[in-house]
Amino acid sequence: MVIAIIGILIALLLPAVQAAREAARRMQCTNNLKQIGLAMQNYHDVKNSFPAGGIPNYVGTSTTTTRSNNRRVGWAVQILPYMEQVAAWDAIVAGGMAPPWTAETTATYYNIDVPGYLCPSDPNAKNVAGMPAKISYRASAGDAWLDSVIGEVRGLFAFADTAKQKAFHGLSSVVDGTSNTVLCSEAGVGTGENGKDTLKAVRNIAYNATHGTPTGTTGSPRDCLNRKGANGILTGDAGSGDDGTDACDNSPCGRSFADGAVYATGFHTILPPNSPSCFTVKGYASVGSNANPLMSASSYHSGGVNSAYVDGSVHFISDTIDCGDIDEKPKTSGPSQYGVWGGLGSREGGETQTP
């Protein structure tokens, strides 16, 4: 009888203990986003703009002093000095600010460890020796995914590989107001690149999706959303990288903090949190037009994601947030058609909603 009573008590207490632990982890995640937001503001104080999603050029250590490489040194690298990581930043600069996958700076990008970049609720958000440092957070590209036609992101962070793209944006461009504009959010770290159909939508990418190009005549965000099947499992080809044949296959879905591609460290305020992320091809050969990445925020917190705003606040965004008409293609100007979530992503859409 005593043993039975103890068993019942344990059964009653265990959920409460687990809930308390998750509450603490969620609070730590919130604090991480606050620190990232503060680092962004400090960067702005010095540079008079926020960092780019990815730096358009870098100074190499070979005979060519300036090279262009798809804007791939990401925002999480650029704010390192403001995250108390000056030594890591200096080492990266000494390596020439080369892309994260090159031999020039591989050791630097692999060996760095920024605890504030990892959500404690994410079981995959753990750095592993000999692998690129991971990240649980993404910067907002706004409410329009990009191809070679659209040259200006509607969010604060430009990731696209196009000469039309303005890479850096400051507070003056946040016309909708700092309390109405998302800065960063969460995304679950990818689990691998095996191309199977048994991968969870919250942390991987659906390949060969049919959402199409932003300005095309077919496809819409709903086509991407429909790739989420029973129990959150993606249908069809999926992975968090390409086919596992080269080192940069680890880049998508937070598997390389330094990669300044939208599929690696960016997200869109189009589909609700914990929706699928999608490519229109199998793989991610291009930051811009070829793969048409549509990336969603996600987390291991129940019911939504933590998101940081330009004013420094952090709010929890529910999976049920209004996303407007996801059967429509993205706009290039004016109010977002993707409801409250889309409006929070655009920096100058003319929306006035608050989180």
Side-chain angles (χ1 to χ4, degrees):
M1 178 66 72
V2 173
I3 294 175
I5 292 173
I6 292 174
I8 292 172
L9 290 174
I10 291 174
L12 291 172
L13 287 172
L14 188 57
V17 171
Q18 292 174 332
R21 288 176 175 172
E22 168 53 23
R25 290 191 292 264
R26 180 169 153 180
M27 185 178 297
Q28 179 60 53
C29 180
T30 297
N31 185 63
N32 288 348
L33 278 166
K34 285 184 178 291
Q35 294 305 312
I36 290 172
L38 179 60
M40 293 276 197
Q41 293 290 348
N42 288 336
Y43 180 102
H44 190 286
D45 286 346
V46 175
K47 306 285 189 177
N48 202 32
S49 76
F50 293 107
I55 295 176
N57 299 297
Y58 71 93
V59 178
T61 58
S62 65
T63 54
T64 302
T65 57
T66 302
R67 294 174 285 184
S68 176
N69 204 294
N70 296 344
R71 303 175 184 262
R72 294 292 290 276
V73 179
W75 62 268
V77 174
Q78 298 167 59
I79 66 170
L80 284 174
Y82 311 97
M83 292 289 293
E84 299 183 354
Q85 295 288 334
V86 174
W89 168 256
D90 289 344
I92 291 170
V93 171
M97 293 295 289
W101 58 87
T102 66
E104 291 174 298
T105 54
T106 293
T108 303
Y109 290 122
Y110 279 30
N111 295 338
I112 189 174
D113 186 13
V114 185
Y117 282 168
L118 301 174
C119 173
S121 293
D122 188 340
N124 301 305
K126 297 179 176 64
N127 289 328
V128 179
M131 297 295 291
K134 299 177 183 179
I135 190 166
S136 301
Y137 305 103
R138 293 173 176 253
S140 172
D143 63 334
W145 73 94
L146 293 168
D147 68 2
S148 57
V149 178
I150 297 177
E152 185 70 19
V153 295
R154 283 164 60 87
L156 270 173
F157 298 92
F159 296 82
D161 178 24
T162 167
K164 303 175 186 177
Q165 191 70 57
K166 180 181 178 183
F168 298 89
H169 296 286
L171 285 171
S172 61
S173 72
V174 187
V175 178
D176 293 344
T178 58
S179 63
N180 298 326
T181 306
V182 170
L183 190 72
C184 298
S185 191
E186 301 181 74
V189 175
T191 55
E193 51 280 333
N194 57 16
K196 303 297 183 181
D197 60 358
T198 56
L199 297 171
K200 283 293 184 90
V202 297
R203 58 182 181 270
N204 295 289
I205 296 169
Y207 297 147
N208 299 320
T210 56
H211 58 280
T213 62
T215 54
T217 58
T218 62
S220 69
R222 186 176 298 280
D223 296 326
C224 178
L225 182 64
N226 287 342
R227 291 295 298 273
K228 186 175 183 177
N231 300 316
I233 302 297
L234 293 175
T235 60
D237 290 334
S240 71
D242 202 339
D243 57 7
T245 59
D246 60 79
C248 66
D249 283 348
N250 293 321
S251 295
C253 296
R255 289 166 64 91
S256 175
F257 90 100
D259 195 332
V262 66
Y263 52 67
T265 54
F267 79 101
H268 299 102
T269 56
I270 297 176
L271 296 177
N274 294 308
S275 295
S277 295
C278 297
F279 287 168
T280 54
V281 297
K282 185 175 182 179
Y284 53 99
S286 172
V287 181
S289 60
N290 291 344
N292 295 307
L294 195 172
M295 308 305 296
S296 299
S298 63
S299 82
Y300 284 83
H301 310 304
S302 177
V305 296
N306 290 311
S307 296
Y309 290 73
V310 181
D311 66 356
S313 63
V314 175
H315 301 271
F316 191 75
I317 301 298
S318 170
D319 292 347
T320 60
I321 189 171
D322 170 48
C323 291
D325 190 352
I326 60 171
D327 291 307
E328 295 293 326
K329 291 285 190 179
K331 289 183 176 181
T332 57
S333 63
S336 177
Q337 73 273 50
Y338 301 130
V340 174
W341 190 220
L344 290 172
S346 69
R347 66 181 189 280
E348 52 182 2
E351 309 93 350
T352 59
Q353 64 264 31
T354 58

